[in-house]
């Protein structure tokens, strides 16, 4: 409603909605998109040079004008890193904090807290594009939806973003934080049943934790909870995990969003389940994570490397060539997909890669491989050991209803052993709270117990957080 009192914001909102609708409908040519991105990239450069103390210093030796978006021209502009943001703090901002409409910050579980405020320009661009994506998913569920939003903290954009997007779509929302002492999991489960809720926005860990609490209360999530759609974000989510969570809840599970507090929204799902880029509001590069050169596409045209993004809107904290620290696979747009944008697979943080049996694997690919043979579980964890012969051994720990063995495709499990070249065992037991900490730390810290190495700082942070939640 604030746009009724702000003519400038109303005009910005109408403009981004019009552009995004045209783009989503396939009415933008490659030439139009390229021209839009170059013009917007230049506008962001001008904006931060004039208004951000950090970027005034950071870009002092960069060219006055960006000639094109070619790799050669972009290379003249330095990357922005997480360490830059931690060191610069409010100097990164391109407007005073008083010009924000809301203040968020990072959680600080794995490094210094950094401010992530939003102004109206930021939220209008991100939420308009996100609404366009989610309309393709949620419209088919009808007019009587009521969706729960369960985010990580009160100082996170999670609740406001998804609440506003649902409001844009005419969908009612209940914001509930099960980890809050004023709510708790018992009340959250009761609210799901009493309202009743037809969908949930939450992390994969929260979806599993809610299901575990439901089973402990004598409920079958698929039978006794009314949820039809799970919009999952904030953690690694491979296709195999999504399938497992969807089966557990009797619902369709989407890897709904990719982004960060620092860089805002970078990708979102659409009706076909793919995670799409947002090229109207972001510029994307994929670079060698060990260096700074752009990667070359493979034989199928897929780019594999670290994602680098630049904001194409001039809000309170636009970022230039921001190294996300995340490994991605990016595929070009295809004519048979829901949206005419490149598709992302977010493979985990660069430091989440693991060596198993001499095979270097991303968290996404390892999770997808290991969970594919199994079903009927409530949660999982990976344990890595070295045997007396020095060979790697892998154990999958599952938590299941009634402590029964998970449903297992033995042929598929044998294929996993062959693929990795290691012994793969299966155990059943109670896993505790640590597996639900992925959104606050990392997939590896939450899901992997690697006894071959010393415990690192993120693993220690995950254990401390799990202890507080217990």
């Amino acid at each position: 409603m604030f746009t009724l009192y702000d003519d400038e914001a109303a005009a910005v909102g109408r403009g981004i909605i019009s552009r995004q609708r045209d783009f989503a409908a396939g009415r933008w040519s490659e030439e139009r998109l390229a021209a839009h991105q170059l013009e917007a990239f230049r506008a962001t450069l001008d904006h931060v040079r004039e208004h951000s103390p950090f970027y005034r210093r950071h870009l002092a030796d960069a060219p006055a004008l960006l000639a094109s978006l070619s790799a050669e021209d972009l290379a003249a502009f330095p990357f922005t890193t997480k360490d830059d943001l931690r060191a610069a703090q409010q100097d990164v901002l391109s407007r005073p904090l008083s010009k924000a409409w809301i203040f968020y910050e990072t959680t600080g579980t794995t490094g210094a807290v950094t401010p992530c405020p939003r102004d109206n320009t930021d939220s209008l661009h991100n939420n308009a594009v996100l609404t366009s994506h989610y309309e393709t998913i949620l419209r088919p569920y009808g007019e009587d939806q009521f969706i729960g939003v369960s985010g990580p903290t009160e100082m996170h954009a999670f609740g406001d973003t998804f609440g506003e997007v649902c409001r844009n779509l005419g969908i009612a929302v209940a914001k509930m934080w099960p980890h809050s002492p004023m709510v708790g999991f018992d009340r959250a489960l009761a609210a799901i049943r009493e309202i009743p809720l037809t969908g949930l926005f939450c992390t994969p860990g929260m979806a599993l934790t809610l299901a575990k609490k439901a089973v402990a209360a004598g409920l079958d999530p698929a039978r006794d909870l009314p949820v039809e759609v799970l919009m999952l974000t904030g953690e690694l989510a491979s296709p195999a995990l999504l399938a497992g969570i969807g089966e557990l809840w009797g619902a369709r599970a989407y890897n709904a969003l990719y982004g960060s507090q620092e860089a805002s929204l970078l990708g979102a799902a659409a009706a076909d389940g793919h995670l799409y880029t947002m090229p109207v509001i972001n510029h994307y590069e994929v670079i060698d994570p060990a260096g700074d050169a752009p990667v070359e596409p493979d034989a199928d045209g897929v780019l594999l490397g670290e994602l680098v993004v630049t904001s194409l809107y001039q809000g309170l904290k636009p970022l230039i060539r921001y190294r996300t620290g995340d490994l991605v696979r990016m595929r070009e747009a295809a004519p048979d997909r829901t949206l005419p944008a490149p598709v992302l697979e977010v493979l985990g943080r660069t430091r989440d890669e693991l060596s198993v049996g001499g095979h270097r694997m991303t968290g996404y690919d390892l999770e997808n491989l290991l969970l594919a043979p199994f079903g009927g579980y409530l949660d999982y964890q990976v344990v890595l050991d070295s045997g007396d012969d020095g060979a790697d051994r892998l154990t999958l720990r599952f938590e299941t209803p009634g402590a029964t063995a998970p449903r297992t495709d033995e042929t598929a499990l044998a294929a996993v052993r062959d693929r990795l070249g290691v012994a793969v065992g299966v155990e059943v037991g109670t896993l505790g709270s640590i597996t639900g900490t992925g959104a606050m730390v990392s997939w590896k810290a939450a899901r992997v117990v690697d006894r071959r190495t010393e415990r690192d700082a993120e693993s220690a942070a995950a254990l401390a957080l799990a202890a507080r939640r217990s």
Side-chain angles (χ1 to χ4, degrees), residues 437-456:
T437 64
M440 308 290 282
V441 282
S442 70
W443 171 84
K444 187 164 67 173
R447 293 288 178 186
V448 179
V449 179
D450 193 344
R451 293 171 176 161
R452 304 168 303 174
T453 62
E454 293 293 324
R455 182 182 298 161
D456 60 18

Side-chain angles (χ1 to χ4, degrees), residues 92-170:
V92 175
L93 305 183
S94 291
R95 290 191 174 121
L97 268 180
S98 61
K99 300 302 182 183
W101 81 269
I102 195 163
F103 181 86
Y104 305 122
E105 63 183 21
T106 56
T107 59
T109 51
T110 58
V113 170
T114 59
C116 303
R118 307 278 195 272
D119 68 5
N120 291 333
T121 297
D122 297 313
S123 293
L124 285 167
H125 279 79
N126 282 277
N127 294 351
V129 175
L130 196 58
T131 300
S132 170
H133 284 239
Y134 287 171
E135 184 171 26
T136 69
I137 295 174
L138 297 175
R139 285 293 187 217
Y141 288 93
E143 297 182 357
D144 296 322
Q145 298 177 64
F146 210 124
I147 292 184
V149 179
S150 297
T153 75
E154 292 82 352
M155 294 186 75
H156 199 282
F158 196 106
D160 293 319
T161 297
F162 294 127
E164 182 172 315
V165 168
C166 285
R167 192 175 188 181
N168 292 344
L169 296 173

Side-chain angles (χ1 to χ4, degrees), residues 49-99:
R49 276 175 159 147
E50 181 178 356
H51 299 292
S52 166
F54 165 75
Y55 275 117
R56 198 173 298 123
R57 300 187 299 268
H58 195 61
L59 300 175
D61 297 328
L65 179 68
L66 179 64
S68 75
L69 295 178
S70 69
E72 292 78 11
D73 287 331
L74 288 173
F77 294 83
F79 295 110
T80 305
T81 68
K82 290 182 187 291
D83 286 340
D84 290 329
L85 302 186
R86 289 171 179 145
Q89 293 290 311
Q90 292 189 31
D91 272 1
V92 175
L93 305 183
S94 291
R95 290 191 174 121
L97 268 180
S98 61
K99 300 302 182 183

